[in-house]
Amino acid sequence: MSFVPSSTIIAIISFILLYWFLSKYAFGPLFGIMEKRRELVQEQITTAEQNRKQSEQQLAEQKQALQDARKEAYEIIEQARLTSTKQADDIMDTAKSEASRMKNEAVKDIETEKNKAIAALRGEVSGMSVKIASKIIEKQIDEKSQEQLVDKYLKEVGGKS
């Protein structure tokens, strides 16, 4: 192999011309495309970061809303429990007072009926006493006969009631 200076000079000139054509027609557009691609990737990274921050913010808002809803639900349940307890107490108080009132009325009615029965019994006893006395007077008899007669009439009176 021999060294041919003209071939080397042609190769160097060819290389320089090729480099110049490539830089003018290929490297410029290629580097432009690569720069656009770098900008697109950078923009996508920025957008992804913004979306991540936004979703973290929304997650925090949703957690707070959920916490508020739980608190409100607890307050509603607690209020309902207090209301139901108060209503149950009111119903119990009303029922107790009504039962007491009905008991007092029943006691009064019983007392009234008892007094009526006693009055009626006294009327019957006095009427029978008068009858017994008149019968005794009619039959002026001895003491033993009188006791038998009183026992007989008392048995009759006892059998009627």
Side-chain angles (χ1 to χ4, degrees), residues 1-18:
M1 236 194 193
S2 67
F3 179 70
V4 181
S6 63
S7 296
T8 305
I9 292 177
I10 292 175
I12 291 174
I13 292 174
S14 296
F15 180 74
I16 292 173
L17 281 175
L18 180 64

Side-chain angles (χ1 to χ4, degrees), residues 97-144:
S97 65
E98 183 65 20
S100 176
R101 183 190 63 78
M102 290 174 71
K103 177 185 169 193
N104 290 340
E105 285 181 9
V107 167
K108 286 179 185 175
D109 288 347
I110 290 170
E111 189 65 32
T112 303
E113 290 301 318
K114 177 180 142 188
N115 290 338
K116 285 181 185 177
I118 289 173
L121 189 60
R122 282 186 181 158
E124 285 185 30
V125 168
S126 66
M128 296 228 182
S129 296
V130 170
K131 285 183 183 177
I132 290 173
S134 65
K135 295 258 182 175
I136 290 176
I137 293 175
E138 286 177 5
K139 293 186 174 182
Q140 288 290 328
I141 51 176
D142 64 350
E143 195 173 308
K144 190 173 185 179

Side-chain angles (χ1 to χ4, degrees), residues 1 25 35 37 81 126 158:
M1 236 194 193
Y25 295 110
E35 182 61 27
R37 176 75 177 148
R81 186 184 64 77
S126 66

Side-chain angles (χ1 to χ4, degrees), residues 63-76:
K63 283 183 180 179
Q64 183 62 37
L66 182 62
Q67 187 100 12
D68 292 345
R70 283 183 179 159
K71 184 178 178 183
E72 186 177 339
Y74 176 77
E75 289 173 359
I76 290 171

Side-chain angles (χ1 to χ4, degrees), residues 43-62:
E43 184 181 317
Q44 288 176 342
I45 289 172
T46 306
T47 304
E49 182 64 26
Q50 288 174 349
N51 288 342
R52 184 186 64 79
K53 286 180 182 178
Q54 192 176 28
S55 54
E56 284 177 355
Q57 182 183 6
Q58 287 177 348
L59 180 63
E61 290 173 359
Q62 288 176 351

